[in-house]
Amino acid sequence: MSGSSFGKIFKITTWGESHGTGVGVVVDGCPAGLQLCEEDIQKYLDRRKPGQSRFTTKRKEDDKIEILSGIFEGKTTGTPVSMIVHNTDHRSADYREIASYYRPGHADYTFDQKYGFRDYRGGGRSSARETIGRVAGGAIAARFLDTLGIHFLTYVKSIGPVTIDAGHFDAKQIYENALYMPDAAAAGRAQDYLEECMENGNSSGGVIECQISGVPAGIGEPVFDKLDAALARAVFSIGAVKGFETGDGFAAASATGLTSNDAFYYDAQGRIGKKTNHAGGILGGISDGSDIIFRAAFKPTPSISAVQNTVNKNGENISVSIKGRHDPVIVPRAVVVVESMAALTLTDMMLANMGAQMQSISSFYNR
Amino acid sequence: MSGSSFGKIFKITTWGESHGTGVGVVVDGCPAGLQLCEEDIQKYLDRRKPGQSRFTTKRKEDDKIEILSGIFEGKTTGTPVSMIVHNTDHRSADYREIASYYRPGHADYTFDQKYGFRDYRGGGRSSARETIGRVAGGAIAARFLDTLGIHFLTYVKSIGPVTIDAGHFDAKQIYENALYMPDAAAAGRAQDYLEECMENGNSSGGVIECQISGVPAGIGEPVFDKLDAALARAVFSIGAVKGFETGDGFAAASATGLTSNDAFYYDAQGRIGKKTNHAGGILGGISDGSDIIFRAAFKPTPSISAVQNTVNKNGENISVSIKGRHDPVIVPRAVVVVESMAALTLTDMMLANMGAQMQSISSFYNR
Amino acid sequence: MSGSSFGKIFKITTWGESHGTGVGVVVDGCPAGLQLCEEDIQKYLDRRKPGQSRFTTKRKEDDKIEILSGIFEGKTTGTPVSMIVHNTDHRSADYREIASYYRPGHADYTFDQKYGFRDYRGGGRSSARETIGRVAGGAIAARFLDTLGIHFLTYVKSIGPVTIDAGHFDAKQIYENALYMPDAAAAGRAQDYLEECMENGNSSGGVIECQISGVPAGIGEPVFDKLDAALARAVFSIGAVKGFETGDGFAAASATGLTSNDAFYYDAQGRIGKKTNHAGGILGGISDGSDIIFRAAFKPTPSISAVQNTVNKNGENISVSIKGRHDPVIVPRAVVVVESMAALTLTDMMLANMGAQMQSISSFYNR
Amino acid sequence: MSGSSFGKIFKITTWGESHGTGVGVVVDGCPAGLQLCEEDIQKYLDRRKPGQSRFTTKRKEDDKIEILSGIFEGKTTGTPVSMIVHNTDHRSADYREIASYYRPGHADYTFDQKYGFRDYRGGGRSSARETIGRVAGGAIAARFLDTLGIHFLTYVKSIGPVTIDAGHFDAKQIYENALYMPDAAAAGRAQDYLEECMENGNSSGGVIECQISGVPAGIGEPVFDKLDAALARAVFSIGAVKGFETGDGFAAASATGLTSNDAFYYDAQGRIGKKTNHAGGILGGISDGSDIIFRAAFKPTPSISAVQNTVNKNGENISVSIKGRHDPVIVPRAVVVVESMAALTLTDMMLANMGAQMQSISSFYNR
């Protein structure tokens, strides 16, 4: 069944494998009149590009976006925006061997079980290159949201056992280190940890945190399309995500009502605010006007060169050491993917919310 | 925008508020020929019924299900199954007071912001009674899955700081204590903790775990309708959920590839199995044939009698103590809701998977 | 697969069989703040009620609507509006005989083929009573549209060979005769024709025409959710519809560009209008600001008492004469069903259109 | 709102304008294991290619398909199949003039009203080139259906006043004349008629008929996703369609039950058949095992060189004569578009039907 579309009003459909002609996305339902050029997309893609540091795959790709439709004289026309990134550095030979066995922690086995066979080159559709379409689409969504005063701050909160220190949060640091951590000291420790992983042919997981500011109250469509439920699905659809939480998240389970509830208050201007934000900006599945906060847990990169046990297609139990160009940690490159999925979700929900009240509909249609 | 439907092939649409005529659900897309009677639904609803222990609301409701359509001579006909539970014990008077202010931790404020006003009686649509429709629909899904050899084991893993002890798991205990915990000793400690909460007019959160056995490999529709992404959305759409994780979940973020990957092996019968199940039964968004395992974190019940600060509609900062019949913990009653959402998700995905391979489609249509 | 929902933003889900507890609908996505009471729904249902003239079934039903949720203090709350009409006059005994054979022109055979068996009582889900849910939902949509200045004029254009005369159109007549024809003379001739049909145990088809005024330009979502495509599906989903056309319809196929194109012009107020309306108010799938005009062709009621050939379940070729209470023509009662489906379609499309332009979205969110 | 996707299980998303980089489609949900190569697509596209006769636009385009993803070793993999056709012969200069006024019968005005402005080059997204994506997707659907023994016969039934003669139907003729008419004599008369239209700077409409054989009984999802309703929407979403009918269509409105009902009978092999096919192969929205038959009415090409009245953007009433390369009739080239939309609809419905009965689901999952 079709599973490559995301969104109802603002919808993306992604396509492409690691080793085919390219990967891409069709963005449908983008409002007309949004100023947009390839540079807006490219700067997002550059954040997930491989080859940026020692901790990312050696694969060299330009990942150059090409917009094929939907833009006229620098603005979206309301028709689908189709985009493509060509695959330029694909050496299928590297992957011929993995056709014969199932890599632990990968989708090789499950794709074979589902579809009867698989495009084994570079993981095919389950490759991280699949996320290029998400990011290209997400860049448009982020542009849309930016126009409405909504902004993202997304970063790596932890890598393996190394977590940013409370009180050391420095947003400027995020783009200063290769790991996108808002704490230079923690980033240093994380780099040491990753070096150790690489020496052992091992890999690491990590946690990404996202804060979204400027979201008006009222966004989210109960009871199944709640904002947090939609974000959960969006983020969990990214490969390697094993956990998702909003606000206090799992910590809320061991808390009490008194420590978990956020008190409302009137500020000096008579606006309603909250003293704290344990809720992460969402109450009853609807944004409450404070910052949206969520985290995603990523498992370690499954491709490791250390020896592992598995099975081959000849019915044999074997041990393997996976060769090839793999990141010891995918978390830094996933930051922009998480941000993109959140932007896509929020954009769709912002549009969905426009029909919530009869009064605003009447205004819209001048009645 | 419509947000009260869940599922694509097997779809439920829920409706109803805490204090209207009743609550209900329409189950559409249920295959014809499934044996089904009201008793199958009722036994699920009874698991979420209030008034079962000291820790659940005093509200007395029979929550008696009535099937209105879609069944003929004891079997589903393929047409929509509409079900209703009448609200019998609704005392609106209790709630008139809360119309004037916003309860902390509740959706009062966000509903007002979104819709311009709200049905304040008992929380209206954001009441826990909304889950009755989910459970009634989930009971049919569970019946469907049971026919295919798929079974659920869902229970409370922790309440506040009290967690079941490793090595003390006893499935039989789940239905032996009011808290649905698979560990009698932990259940005892949790009860003590809840008594303490009640004395302080406070409440507690907790964690629910769900294991699903018998799921064949191949279920899930990448890249956006992955099985884990669909479960994440399903479970996160339940009120009060703040976190969701599969397999090792957040712990995977601090693990390494070597400890996180599950090794495949051939068993004596030549079938492929996994030595461990860190993945929680899902690889690349597709079931791998081992047990599906996930957890959901619930925040504490926001309605507490302890004094809290908030605002009223007159522009005043006030302090309130919430009266009425409220559970100090909703987690035990939410067990069947979590199970229901998982059953609905899995049923939809099982049906979606039938079109994955040309060969099986040809067989189906005898070509 | 679920097929009982219609609409994306404003969505209805209908349920119920001819001889179960009742029939109903859940309306989800209705904007909050629409004034609505049961009387608004009832007056729509009364237009499709049986027992109103000699030409409609003798079945006596009150078809009394009951609203179960979604309304608070006389206004919609933004949550699902669930509605039910109880079945009061169902004599299953009448229908036991038809369980054994397939009625020509009915869905008996196809339901058996699809689902393996069927609820044969009164046609089950394929009964005309299924349309009650559509009309109840359509009444809310019509109320929504009325608020925006959009109005319907729906009537019977022809019954069998009797068509309203060109130049004799009199809108006031529509509610003056039992056949809902806007031409008293034609209505008289049609009644004579129907009497003749009844004498022969025969039945008649007919054509319904619908004009919608006040629709702003810009409604419709190319390329697959064009306004006319959506109307075509909506109207064709009504039982017995065999044809649908907009504007000049099939006549356009034998016309030329010169006679088919509508010339634009500026009126005295500087507004753009069209000299003619061959297009029926839709160009490129988007409303052009002139009246929407479409027609639907209905086949004759398949239930007739004249002798017909068919098969029974014992493998025998038999001849039958169908007993029971059946209309010699369903077209007059279908007028409100057609109008309802059009109202539902247009409402959904009006809401969908709100996200078409960046500029209006920015205004909506005050940026 | 996103309107460029069609289908639920087997879904296409089209993109592209007349004068951008190209046009294309993403086909998502195609079962794995379908043998497919570019030639399968190309032969479909060649049927809609311009420049094939005097009656089609002079625009010379190869319309060469390129498959970008989803195929591995000659078979579909279950992942999205992305396809592109580059625009090679676009002379934007031709169209600069039409930027300043609204062409009668075109979507210029409605696009401006909806989106605030438009890509005026060659009609932008409302160009007939948009159908390339439909046909490329439809070719895959047709390949899928062919594998299941389902075949199409689609042809031009009439052009302007010229209709194929009853009793002169000759399927072989369809590909023998440039007009795709199954009657050489009628084709000759139609050509004469078109020459006359061209001399007058005028254009013609026409009717396309489609017969589908081999469809098993049981396909279609009542009550809103009935097979005929889905076909109606699919075909009506093609530009210039003004009417759609199945079986006897509009003629059924003036018929009686006795002449309209199809009698069932047992044939010599004990299979159920129908003596006639007034229903066009669909009863109650579900296929009955006989041929599916439907017709679509197309309006005349709106672009004509004869003088017409319209308005320009300076607020003036003007008269225009449209230059450029336009077909005097689009109906012959639309034959394969109609067939493609029907194939897409039927494929989606065939997959949807697989979950109709519990028994076959249990067989599928070996329980």
Side-chain angles (χ1 to χ4, degrees):
Chain A
M1 181 176 176
S2 59
S4 293
S5 292
F6 182 86
K8 293 187 177 177
I9 296 180
F10 185 100
K11 184 190 319 202
I12 66 164
T13 302
T14 69
W15 57 269
E17 289 84 32
S18 178
H19 285 65
T21 306
V23 293
V25 63
V26 181
V27 179
D28 190 23
C30 183
L34 180 68
Q35 295 211 347
L36 192 74
C37 62
E38 284 175 351
E39 185 54 30
D40 296 316
I41 316 294
Q42 194 62 53
K43 68 185 181 202
Y44 260 68
L45 283 180
D46 288 348
R47 288 169 61 193
R48 73 161 294 291
K49 209 164 58 170
Q52 304 204 111
S53 79
R54 276 178 311 143
F55 307 117
T56 58
T57 165
K58 306 302 183 291
R59 179 168 172 157
K60 287 282 183 310
E61 304 227 345
D62 276 339
D63 287 352
K64 185 96 191 71
I65 196 74
E66 191 185 347
I67 299 179
L68 304 172
S69 67
I71 310 286
F72 185 58
E73 299 179 343
K75 287 186 294 184
T76 56
T77 60
T79 63
V81 180
S82 180
M83 298 183 279
I84 185 172
V85 168
H86 283 84
N87 292 333
T88 52
D89 176 32
H90 40 90
R91 304 178 227 166
S92 296
D94 290 15
Y95 294 98
R96 195 126 323 151
E97 184 196 344
I98 64 169
S100 67
Y101 65 83
Y102 294 129
R103 291 171 297 166
H106 273 284
D108 301 341
Y109 174 68
T110 53
F111 265 69
D112 263 16
Q113 287 292 305
K114 183 172 193 74
Y115 297 115
F117 74 114
R118 74 182 191 280
D119 181 349
Y120 51 77
R121 298 168 303 164
R125 180 74 171 150
S126 66
S127 158
R129 278 192 77 70
E130 172 262 317
T131 60
I132 286 178
R134 301 172 183 242
V135 173
I140 299 184
R143 187 105 183 77
F144 169 90
L145 294 171
D146 181 75
T147 307
L148 300 176
I150 297 168
H151 305 292
F152 289 82
L153 196 61
T154 322
Y155 46 85
V156 173
K157 183 160 199 191
S158 70
I159 285 185
V162 182
T163 300
I164 56 172
D165 293 318
H168 282 210
F169 189 95
D170 178 3
K172 288 194 303 290
Q173 272 298 321
I174 296 173
Y175 294 93
E176 303 278 311
N177 62 76
L179 300 178
Y180 295 104
M181 294 182 93
D183 173 353
R189 294 196 306 275
Q191 296 195 13
D192 294 342
Y193 177 72
L194 289 174
E195 303 252 7
E196 189 190 317
C197 285
M198 290 170 80
E199 276 166 34
N200 300 328
N202 208 348
S203 62
S204 175
V207 172
I208 291 170
E209 188 166 75
C210 178
Q211 301 182 24
I212 319 175
S213 62
V215 181
I219 309 304
E221 304 294 324
V223 293
F224 296 115
D225 298 330
K226 289 174 173 174
L227 180 53
D228 40 3
L231 286 169
R233 178 219 169 181
V235 172
F236 236 99
S237 74
I238 303 170
V241 170
K242 301 303 288 180
F244 175 86
E245 58 181 16
T246 56
D248 285 357
F250 273 86
S254 51
T256 70
L258 272 172
T259 57
S260 202
N261 286 345
D262 300 312
F264 292 107
Y265 72 102
Y266 283 105
D267 69 11
Q269 283 74 42
R271 292 171 309 206
I272 292 177
K274 284 160 47 192
K275 292 279 184 190
T276 52
N277 193 9
H278 298 292
I282 303 173
L283 285 168
I286 301 172
S287 64
D288 66 13
S290 45
D291 284 0
I292 307 289
I293 298 170
F294 70 82
R295 281 170 296 282
F298 284 75
K299 70 174 184 180
T301 320
S303 292
I304 52 177
S305 58
V307 175
Q308 300 181 89
N309 295 320
T310 189
V311 297
N312 69 14
K313 294 201 162 180
N314 297 330
E316 297 163 323
N317 290 312
I318 60 172
S319 64
V320 297
S321 165
I322 297 172
K323 305 290 183 302
R325 304 158 296 177
H326 302 289
D327 301 0
V329 67
I330 58 160
V331 175
R333 291 178 59 196
V335 166
V336 71
V337 184
V338 167
E339 184 171 314
S340 294
M341 292 309 302
L344 290 163
T345 305
L346 193 53
T347 296
D348 200 35
M349 289 275 162
M350 295 284 291
L351 294 168
N353 178 57
M354 292 178 73
Q357 296 187 29
M358 198 62 223
Q359 197 168 19
S360 47
I361 299 165
S362 294
S363 295
F364 184 93
Y365 284 113
N366 296 313
R367 302 299 298 198
Chain B
M1 180 176 177
S2 59
S4 293
S5 291
F6 182 86
K8 292 187 178 178
I9 298 180
F10 186 100
K11 185 190 315 203
I12 65 164
T13 302
T14 69
W15 58 269
E17 289 85 31
S18 179
H19 286 66
T21 306
V23 291
V25 63
V26 181
V27 180
D28 190 21
C30 183
L34 179 69
Q35 296 212 347
L36 192 75
C37 63
E38 285 175 349
E39 184 54 30
D40 295 316
I41 316 295
Q42 194 61 52
K43 68 186 180 200
Y44 259 69
L45 283 180
D46 288 350
R47 288 168 60 192
R48 73 161 292 292
K49 209 162 62 169
Q52 302 204 112
S53 79
R54 276 178 313 144
F55 307 117
T56 57
T57 165
K58 306 302 182 292
R59 179 167 171 157
K60 286 282 183 312
E61 302 229 345
D62 277 338
D63 285 351
K64 186 97 191 73
I65 194 75
E66 190 185 349
I67 298 179
L68 304 171
S69 68
I71 309 285
F72 184 57
E73 299 180 343
K75 287 186 294 186
T76 55
T77 60
T79 63
V81 180
S82 180
M83 298 183 279
I84 186 172
V85 168
H86 284 84
N87 291 334
T88 53
D89 176 33
H90 40 90
R91 305 179 226 165
S92 296
D94 290 13
Y95 294 98
R96 194 124 325 152
E97 185 195 343
I98 64 168
S100 67
Y101 66 83
Y102 294 130
R103 291 172 297 166
H106 273 283
D108 301 342
Y109 174 67
T110 53
F111 266 68
D112 263 16
Q113 287 292 306
K114 183 173 192 71
Y115 298 114
F117 75 115
R118 74 183 192 278
D119 180 350
Y120 51 77
R121 298 167 303 164
R125 180 72 172 151
S126 66
S127 157
R129 278 192 75 70
E130 172 262 317
T131 61
I132 287 178
R134 300 172 184 244
V135 173
I140 298 184
R143 187 106 183 77
F144 169 90
L145 294 171
D146 182 75
T147 306
L148 299 176
I150 297 168
H151 305 291
F152 289 82
L153 195 62
T154 321
Y155 46 85
V156 173
K157 184 160 198 188
S158 71
I159 285 185
V162 182
T163 301
I164 57 171
D165 294 318
H168 283 212
F169 189 94
D170 179 2
K172 289 193 303 289
Q173 271 299 320
I174 297 172
Y175 294 95
E176 303 280 311
N177 61 76
L179 299 178
Y180 296 104
M181 294 183 94
D183 174 351
R189 294 196 305 275
Q191 296 196 11
D192 293 344
Y193 177 74
L194 290 174
E195 303 252 6
E196 191 190 315
C197 285
M198 291 172 77
E199 276 166 33
N200 300 328
N202 207 347
S203 62
S204 175
V207 172
I208 291 172
E209 188 166 75
C210 178
Q211 300 182 23
I212 320 176
S213 62
V215 181
I219 308 305
E221 305 293 324
V223 295
F224 296 114
D225 297 330
K226 290 175 173 173
L227 180 52
D228 39 3
L231 286 168
R233 176 217 171 183
V235 172
F236 236 98
S237 74
I238 303 170
V241 170
K242 300 303 286 181
F244 175 85
E245 58 181 15
T246 55
D248 285 357
F250 273 86
S254 51
T256 70
L258 272 173
T259 56
S260 203
N261 286 345
D262 300 311
F264 292 107
Y265 73 102
Y266 283 106
D267 69 10
Q269 283 75 43
R271 293 171 308 206
I272 292 175
K274 283 161 46 193
K275 292 280 183 188
T276 52
N277 193 8
H278 298 292
I282 302 174
L283 284 168
I286 301 174
S287 64
D288 66 13
S290 46
D291 285 2
I292 308 289
I293 298 170
F294 69 82
R295 280 169 297 283
F298 284 76
K299 72 174 184 179
T301 320
S303 293
I304 52 178
S305 58
V307 174
Q308 300 181 89
N309 294 321
T310 190
V311 297
N312 69 14
K313 295 201 164 182
N314 297 331
E316 298 164 321
N317 290 311
I318 59 171
S319 65
V320 297
S321 165
I322 297 171
K323 304 290 184 301
R325 304 159 296 177
H326 302 290
D327 301 0
V329 67
I330 58 160
V331 176
R333 290 178 60 195
V335 167
V336 71
V337 183
V338 167
E339 184 171 313
S340 294
M341 291 310 300
L344 290 162
T345 304
L346 193 52
T347 296
D348 199 34
M349 288 276 162
M350 296 284 291
L351 293 168
N353 178 56
M354 292 179 73
Q357 295 187 29
M358 199 62 224
Q359 197 168 20
S360 47
I361 298 166
S362 294
S363 294
F364 184 93
Y365 283 114
N366 295 314
R367 302 298 299 198
Chain C
M1 180 175 175
S2 59
S4 293
S5 291
F6 181 86
K8 292 186 179 179
I9 297 180
F10 186 99
K11 184 188 318 201
I12 65 164
T13 301
T14 69
W15 57 269
E17 289 85 31
S18 179
H19 285 64
T21 306
V23 292
V25 63
V26 181
V27 179
D28 191 22
C30 183
L34 180 68
Q35 295 210 348
L36 191 75
C37 62
E38 285 175 350
E39 184 54 31
D40 295 317
I41 316 294
Q42 193 62 51
K43 68 185 181 201
Y44 260 69
L45 283 180
D46 288 349
R47 288 169 61 192
R48 71 162 294 291
K49 210 164 58 169
Q52 304 205 111
S53 79
R54 274 179 312 144
F55 307 117
T56 58
T57 166
K58 306 303 182 289
R59 179 167 172 157
K60 286 282 183 310
E61 304 227 346
D62 277 338
D63 286 350
K64 186 99 190 73
I65 196 73
E66 189 184 351
I67 298 179
L68 305 172
S69 67
I71 310 285
F72 184 58
E73 299 180 342
K75 287 186 293 186
T76 55
T77 61
T79 63
V81 181
S82 180
M83 297 184 279
I84 186 172
V85 168
H86 283 85
N87 291 333
T88 52
D89 176 34
H90 39 91
R91 305 180 225 163
S92 296
D94 290 14
Y95 293 99
R96 194 124 327 151
E97 184 195 344
I98 64 168
S100 68
Y101 66 83
Y102 293 129
R103 291 172 297 166
H106 273 283
D108 302 342
Y109 174 68
T110 53
F111 265 69
D112 263 16
Q113 287 291 306
K114 184 174 191 70
Y115 298 114
F117 75 113
R118 73 182 191 277
D119 180 348
Y120 51 77
R121 298 167 303 165
R125 181 73 172 150
S126 65
S127 157
R129 278 191 77 70
E130 172 262 317
T131 61
I132 287 178
R134 300 172 184 243
V135 173
I140 298 183
R143 188 105 183 76
F144 169 90
L145 294 171
D146 181 76
T147 307
L148 299 176
I150 298 169
H151 305 289
F152 289 82
L153 196 62
T154 321
Y155 45 85
V156 174
K157 181 158 200 190
S158 72
I159 285 184
V162 182
T163 301
I164 56 173
D165 293 318
H168 283 212
F169 188 94
D170 180 1
K172 287 193 306 289
Q173 272 298 320
I174 296 173
Y175 294 93
E176 304 279 311
N177 61 77
L179 300 178
Y180 296 104
M181 293 182 94
D183 174 353
R189 294 197 305 276
Q191 296 196 13
D192 293 344
Y193 176 73
L194 288 174
E195 304 251 6
E196 190 190 315
C197 285
M198 289 172 80
E199 276 167 33
N200 300 328
N202 208 346
S203 63
S204 176
V207 172
I208 291 171
E209 188 166 73
C210 178
Q211 300 181 24
I212 319 176
S213 62
V215 181
I219 309 303
E221 305 294 325
V223 295
F224 296 114
D225 297 331
K226 289 174 172 173
L227 180 53
D228 39 4
L231 286 168
R233 176 218 172 181
V235 172
F236 236 99
S237 74
I238 304 170
V241 170
K242 302 302 287 180
F244 175 85
E245 59 181 16
T246 55
D248 285 357
F250 273 85
S254 52
T256 69
L258 272 172
T259 56
S260 204
N261 286 346
D262 301 312
F264 292 106
Y265 72 102
Y266 284 105
D267 69 12
Q269 282 75 42
R271 291 170 309 205
I272 292 176
K274 284 161 45 193
K275 292 278 183 189
T276 52
N277 193 8
H278 297 291
I282 302 174
L283 284 169
I286 302 172
S287 63
D288 66 12
S290 46
D291 285 1
I292 308 288
I293 299 169
F294 70 83
R295 281 170 296 283
F298 284 75
K299 72 174 184 179
T301 320
S303 293
I304 52 177
S305 59
V307 174
Q308 299 181 88
N309 294 321
T310 192
V311 297
N312 68 14
K313 294 201 164 181
N314 297 329
E316 297 164 324
N317 290 311
I318 59 172
S319 65
V320 298
S321 166
I322 296 171
K323 305 288 183 301
R325 304 157 297 177
H326 302 290
D327 301 1
V329 67
I330 57 160
V331 176
R333 290 178 59 195
V335 166
V336 71
V337 183
V338 166
E339 183 171 314
S340 294
M341 291 311 299
L344 289 164
T345 304
L346 194 52
T347 296
D348 200 35
M349 288 276 162
M350 296 285 289
L351 293 169
N353 178 57
M354 292 178 73
Q357 296 186 30
M358 198 62 224
Q359 197 168 21
S360 47
I361 299 166
S362 293
S363 295
F364 184 92
Y365 284 113
N366 296 313
R367 301 298 298 198
Chain D
M1 180 175 177
S2 59
S4 292
S5 292
F6 181 86
K8 293 187 178 177
I9 297 180
F10 185 100
K11 183 189 320 200
I12 66 164
T13 303
T14 69
W15 57 269
E17 290 86 30
S18 179
H19 285 64
T21 306
V23 292
V25 63
V26 181
V27 179
D28 190 22
C30 183
L34 181 68
Q35 296 212 346
L36 191 75
C37 62
E38 284 175 351
E39 185 54 34
D40 295 317
I41 316 295
Q42 194 62 52
K43 68 186 183 201
Y44 260 69
L45 283 180
D46 288 349
R47 288 168 62 190
R48 73 163 292 293
K49 210 164 58 172
Q52 303 204 110
S53 79
R54 276 179 312 146
F55 307 117
T56 58
T57 166
K58 304 304 182 291
R59 178 167 172 158
K60 287 282 181 312
E61 303 227 346
D62 278 337
D63 286 352
K64 185 99 190 71
I65 196 74
E66 190 185 348
I67 299 180
L68 304 172
S69 67
I71 310 286
F72 185 56
E73 298 179 344
K75 287 186 293 185
T76 56
T77 60
T79 63
V81 181
S82 180
M83 297 183 280
I84 185 172
V85 168
H86 284 86
N87 292 333
T88 53
D89 177 34
H90 39 90
R91 306 179 227 164
S92 295
D94 289 15
Y95 294 99
R96 196 129 320 153
E97 185 196 344
I98 64 170
S100 67
Y101 65 83
Y102 294 129
R103 291 171 297 167
H106 273 283
D108 302 342
Y109 174 67
T110 54
F111 265 70
D112 263 15
Q113 288 291 306
K114 182 173 193 73
Y115 299 114
F117 74 115
R118 73 184 192 278
D119 180 350
Y120 51 76
R121 299 167 302 164
R125 180 74 173 150
S126 66
S127 157
R129 278 192 77 70
E130 172 262 316
T131 61
I132 287 178
R134 301 172 184 243
V135 173
I140 299 184
R143 187 105 183 77
F144 169 90
L145 294 171
D146 181 75
T147 307
L148 299 176
I150 297 169
H151 305 291
F152 290 81
L153 197 61
T154 322
Y155 46 85
V156 173
K157 184 162 199 187
S158 71
I159 285 185
V162 183
T163 301
I164 57 172
D165 293 318
H168 282 213
F169 189 95
D170 179 2
K172 287 193 304 290
Q173 273 297 319
I174 296 172
Y175 294 93
E176 304 278 311
N177 62 77
L179 300 178
Y180 296 103
M181 295 184 93
D183 174 352
R189 294 197 304 276
Q191 296 195 12
D192 294 345
Y193 177 73
L194 289 174
E195 303 252 5
E196 190 190 317
C197 285
M198 289 171 80
E199 276 166 34
N200 301 328
N202 208 344
S203 62
S204 174
V207 172
I208 291 172
E209 187 166 74
C210 179
Q211 301 181 23
I212 319 176
S213 62
V215 181
I219 309 304
E221 305 293 325
V223 295
F224 296 115
D225 297 331
K226 290 175 173 173
L227 180 53
D228 39 3
L231 286 168
R233 176 220 171 181
V235 172
F236 236 99
S237 74
I238 303 169
V241 170
K242 301 303 287 181
F244 175 85
E245 59 181 14
T246 57
D248 285 357
F250 273 86
S254 52
T256 69
L258 271 172
T259 57
S260 203
N261 287 345
D262 301 311
F264 292 106
Y265 72 102
Y266 283 105
D267 69 11
Q269 282 75 41
R271 292 172 308 205
I272 291 176
K274 284 161 46 193
K275 293 278 185 189
T276 52
N277 192 9
H278 298 291
I282 302 173
L283 285 169
I286 301 172
S287 64
D288 66 13
S290 45
D291 285 1
I292 307 290
I293 297 169
F294 69 82
R295 279 170 298 282
F298 284 76
K299 71 173 185 180
T301 319
S303 291
I304 53 178
S305 59
V307 174
Q308 301 181 88
N309 294 321
T310 190
V311 297
N312 68 14
K313 293 200 162 183
N314 297 330
E316 297 164 324
N317 290 312
I318 59 172
S319 64
V320 297
S321 166
I322 297 172
K323 303 291 184 301
R325 303 158 296 176
H326 302 289
D327 301 359
V329 68
I330 57 159
V331 176
R333 290 179 59 195
V335 166
V336 71
V337 183
V338 167
E339 184 171 313
S340 294
M341 291 310 300
L344 289 163
T345 305
L346 193 52
T347 296
D348 199 35
M349 288 275 163
M350 295 285 290
L351 293 168
N353 179 57
M354 292 180 72
Q357 295 187 29
M358 199 62 223
Q359 197 168 19
S360 47
I361 298 165
S362 293
S363 294
F364 183 93
Y365 283 113
N366 296 313
R367 303 298 297 197

